[in-house]
Amino acid sequence: MGSYVNPDGEFDRDTNYIEDRILANPDAAGLRKDDAVGTKYGGWLDNDLSEDAVAWPVEANRYRLVAAPACPWANRTLIVRKLLGLEDVISVGLPGPTHDARSWTFDLDPDGKDPVLGTERLQENYFKRFPDYPRGITVPAVVDEPTGKVVTNDFKQITIDFSTQWKEFHKADAPDLFPKEHIEEMFPIMDRIFHTVNNGVYKAGFAGKQEAYEKAYNELWESLDWLEERLSTRRYLMGDNITEADIRLFTTLARFDAVYHGHFKANRQKLTEMPNLWGYARDLYQTPGFGETVDFQQIKDHYYIVHTDVNPTQVVPLGPDPKVWEESHERADLAS
């Protein structure tokens, strides 16, 4: 939704999101100058806003995170919400795995309506704020419960703000997902993962021409080989502790063998055939906050039923067996 295949056969994702932010101190918000990585970070970790964006105040029990477990971008927010202990201050709405061209729907809820928002489609919450909203109705989205209006669907910024702006409500042992000592290296790694892995599988799967597919495929596997090597000497991407970078990579790995290997033609190898990445993925899956957010059936239903251009029969495969995710990973020995 909101993306297309260009004349060269390349999949282009529409990354123009609602850039409003929920800030601990909205009155101190500044203007984001750029998105450069370095000592500035373009406001990602600070109080800066893009031009015309609105600052909303952090407030317990005011906002509802709408996040379909089937969606990898939404899955990130569900993981971060659990890791930081924000379940009691940010409610969650869970759309079902399938949707039509209009919107994600709350078809799994009683009467087909979100019990808090009272809407059947997430589209209604977008339209309450932007009656002529011209782009795709995407998840995750944060909705203002009192008004039912969407606040933001900027998935990258949502999890950053959960970490940096909602600290007042973090549980006592919440992890630091953006450790200062790793920021300089971490943002470029996350950027590479996004372009060649997270979005790379989509660029391969939706490519409209052979050349475009092969380019995306080669970039994907070049990065996966690089990650396989990186994870041979460290437990997590940045060392001994889980960071945002691991969460961003995990949601793609969780879907790899079930969907991307076949459905998106990313079939050089299965994840289970890459020892370090497979052990790393199991390590994360078995960490509280990760595995319980993954629903393999919903994941398969979403991709194989919704993507009729890729899978016109809408037949959903029965495998692979999710029990393999519970096997021992033996990654702890890599910690310092």
Side-chain angles (χ1 to χ4, degrees), residues 38 66-67 90 98 117 131 153 175 183 187 284 307 321 326:
V66 179
I90 302 173
T98 61
L117 302 175
N153 64 344
I183 290 298
F187 267 84
L284 291 174
H307 298 163
D321 187 348
E326 300 170 7

Side-chain angles (χ1 to χ4, degrees), residues 152-310:
T152 178
N153 64 344
D154 189 349
F155 66 89
K156 290 183 182 179
Q157 191 68 62
I158 288 172
T159 54
I160 292 174
D161 287 346
F162 281 178
S163 285
T164 61
Q165 303 297 321
W166 288 81
K167 287 185 177 181
E168 176 187 355
F169 299 103
H170 288 183
K171 63 182 181 180
D173 59 347
D176 180 4
L177 299 179
F178 288 92
K180 292 181 179 178
E181 66 271 22
H182 292 307
I183 290 298
E184 295 283 350
E185 184 184 13
M186 193 168 115
F187 267 84
I189 287 174
M190 293 192 298
D191 189 59
R192 177 174 180 175
I193 288 172
F194 171 75
H195 287 292
T196 63
V197 181
N198 300 145
N199 198 40
V201 291
Y202 285 83
K203 290 192 286 188
F206 289 129
K209 294 184 178 180
Q210 186 70 30
E211 184 178 359
Y213 162 70
E214 291 184 8
K215 177 184 177 184
Y217 177 97
N218 289 332
E219 289 177 349
L220 167 66
W221 285 105
E222 182 179 352
S223 285
L224 289 177
D225 286 340
W226 168 69
L227 290 164
E228 174 75 1
E229 176 62 26
R230 184 178 181 87
L231 290 167
S232 68
T233 58
R234 63 194 78 200
R235 185 173 184 180
Y236 306 113
L237 286 175
M238 305 311 302
D240 290 347
N241 299 299
I242 293 170
T243 66
E244 171 88 7
D246 298 298
I247 296 164
R248 295 187 182 193
L249 177 58
F250 172 78
T251 57
T252 296
L253 298 182
R255 289 154 177 78
F256 200 87
D257 286 3
V259 176
Y260 303 142
H261 178 270
H263 185 63
F264 277 174
K265 310 181 192 69
N267 59 355
R268 192 193 78 180
Q269 289 172 267
K270 295 179 180 178
L271 177 64
T272 55
E273 297 168 346
M274 304 190 75
N276 297 322
L277 275 166
W278 175 225
Y280 162 83
R282 296 200 311 281
D283 188 1
L284 291 174
Y285 180 85
Q286 295 168 28
T287 299
F290 283 82
E292 62 262 43
T293 70
V294 176
D295 188 316
F296 289 109
Q297 190 60 52
Q298 287 201 34
I299 288 169
K300 290 189 295 184
D301 286 349
H302 171 67
Y303 285 91
Y304 287 101
I305 293 175
V306 172
H307 298 163
T308 54
D309 50 342
V310 179

